[in-house]
Amino acid sequence: MSPIRLFVPLSLALLAACATQPKTNVTVEKQSECPVRLSNGQNLIVTLPSNPTTGYRWAIQDSAGGVLRALSPEVYSNPEDAGVVGAAGLSTWRFQAFATGTGRLRLTSQQPWAPEVLPVETFDCAISVN
């Protein structure tokens, strides 16, 4: 087989490999895991401690809308082994990187009926997508 006949299929295989996007999810569970670098098409999963029974809820203040798109609303879950009514759980958001650039994903935890009161917790994460 001539070298050119080998070169063409090999070139096509390499081009196809370069065109595939990473399918792995990136999970962030605390502020110290920021900043986050994503590739276009990658999913970002943010999971934060939450206890809505206390009246405090996480609210998205900045969704890095220029580079991230929400895949689902907040999902709250509490550990099955908690066994206590009102025990803390986790709030989870799923996003997908859809454009090259940078942005900030910022969430605050506060009582929704008291917006004038400062948040008790803030999650602020720089996001970059390439």
Side-chain angles (χ1 to χ4, degrees), residues 77-98:
S77 61
N78 61 350
E80 293 176 18
D81 61 348
V84 179
V85 174
L90 298 171
S91 287
T92 302
W93 298 263
R94 293 175 50 88
F95 301 91
Q96 184 176 53
F98 75 94

Side-chain angles (χ1 to χ4, degrees), residues 38-102:
L38 301 169
S39 295
N40 206 344
Q42 262 188 316
N43 292 338
L44 173 65
I45 301 170
V46 176
T47 302
L48 300 173
S50 181
N51 192 349
T53 62
T54 62
Y56 288 89
R57 297 294 310 251
W58 286 102
I60 296 176
Q61 303 300 324
D62 188 347
S63 64
V67 295
L68 293 180
R69 115 176 84 236
L71 294 178
S72 67
E74 173 188 5
V75 175
Y76 174 77
S77 61
N78 61 350
E80 293 176 18
D81 61 348
V84 179
V85 174
L90 298 171
S91 287
T92 302
W93 298 263
R94 293 175 50 88
F95 301 91
Q96 184 176 53
F98 75 94
T100 301
T102 60

